[in-house]
Amino acid sequence: MNPIVLTIIISSLSLGTILTFIGSHWLLVWMGLEINTLAIIPLMIRQHHPRAVEASTKYFITQATASALLLFASVTNAWTSGEWSLIEMTNPTSATLATIALALKIGLAPLHFWLPEVLQGLDLTTGLILSTWQKLAPFAILLQLYPSLNSNLLVFLGVLSTMVGGWGGLNQTQLRKILAYSSIAHLGWMITILHYSYNLTQLNLILYIIMTSTTFLLFKTFNSTKINSISSSSSKSPLLSIIALMTLLSLGGLPPLSGFMPKWLILQELTKQNLAIPATIMAMMALLSLFFYLRLCYATTLTMTPNSINMSTSWRTKLSHNLTLTTAASLSILLLPITPAILMLL
């Protein structure tokens, strides 16, 4: 892609997200979301492959539907209350519609069906942007609206997302679909706790972005998109395969890794709020997610690739000093001991 065009697209992505961050008027926020959506489509379609075109079309239709529903919710609220301010969401119907629209935008169950299919049609770099950066703008809106939203609806969407994310990833062999269902499950944890402790939602979102970025960057380094192709990573780069093992276990939420921290704090807060049943269901569904992370760990570090493998792989991964991957991997693995300091900052 032309560097000038790429610069314009990345700038538009940043502009859309920043507009949503700083906006307090519904139309400005909606405009930021639209710029964000339109800016990523050229990145998605740049492969000129039928699957990429299909993924881009699905993404555009889904996001356009969510944007129309969000605009309808804001207009309805302005009609009943006379306020266009983002935090003046006084109409319960508008709040419910806005919740559903934002759930569709980020891919929460039961509105998740587009996310695995779209992510499967993208390359790993664009998939990384879709799984991390594109979640920021909708969450910026949710973090401002949370006092007005229906807590029961948020808990329902969150628990259902953890169930779908756990069950859906079990029989997958494509790494991008596994990461899509992983994303759905993590979003469920964030949404469940949003009404009761928005600080924990922010913490979970930050750690999710760090761990998911690390995973995508590792798979991009390995040049792997399937489970059977990742098995050659241990022979190409033993150190990176160990980092991948630790990162995947951190995504699964095992102590003493960073991913255990948000799950522990969220379950603790749900128990304080007398929501023991949702907390129990989410903890059990986390075990299902852990199972397919362990499948990836097994394929990455404990299996040897057959000699007759039908794919072109480099004999050794090229050694490069990737500061982004190094920093993200360190944060994905080592943050749990400083949990008290993070809680003080929150």
Side-chain angles (χ1 to χ4, degrees), residues 37-59:
T37 300
L38 294 174
I40 198 176
I41 288 175
L43 290 177
M44 299 170 75
I45 210 169
R46 64 177 174 164
Q47 292 178 309
H48 302 294
H49 188 277
R51 189 169 288 170
V53 175
E54 180 187 349
S56 306
T57 308
K58 287 178 179 176
Y59 182 76

Side-chain angles (χ1 to χ4, degrees), residues 279-309:
T280 305
I281 295 172
M282 290 169 67
M284 293 175 67
M285 292 303 112
L287 294 177
L288 289 178
S289 298
L290 181 61
F291 176 77
F292 61 75
Y293 293 129
L294 287 173
R295 278 181 66 207
L296 290 179
C297 294
Y298 178 76
T300 306
T301 56
L302 299 175
T303 59
M304 292 293 291
T305 178
N307 294 327
S308 60
I309 192 162

Side-chain angles (χ1 to χ4, degrees), residues 301-318:
T301 56
L302 299 175
T303 59
M304 292 293 291
T305 178
N307 294 327
S308 60
I309 192 162
N310 293 322
M311 60 185 63
S312 58
T313 54
S314 57
W315 176 246
R316 288 280 177 184
T317 302
K318 292 179 182 178

Side-chain angles (χ1 to χ4, degrees), residues 191-211:
I191 288 295
T192 304
I193 202 62
L194 176 63
H195 191 79
Y196 304 102
S197 177
Y198 71 94
N199 289 330
L200 288 182
T201 298
Q202 291 176 325
L203 173 65
N204 200 347
L205 179 61
I206 292 168
L207 283 173
Y208 158 77
I209 288 174
I210 292 170
M211 293 186 292

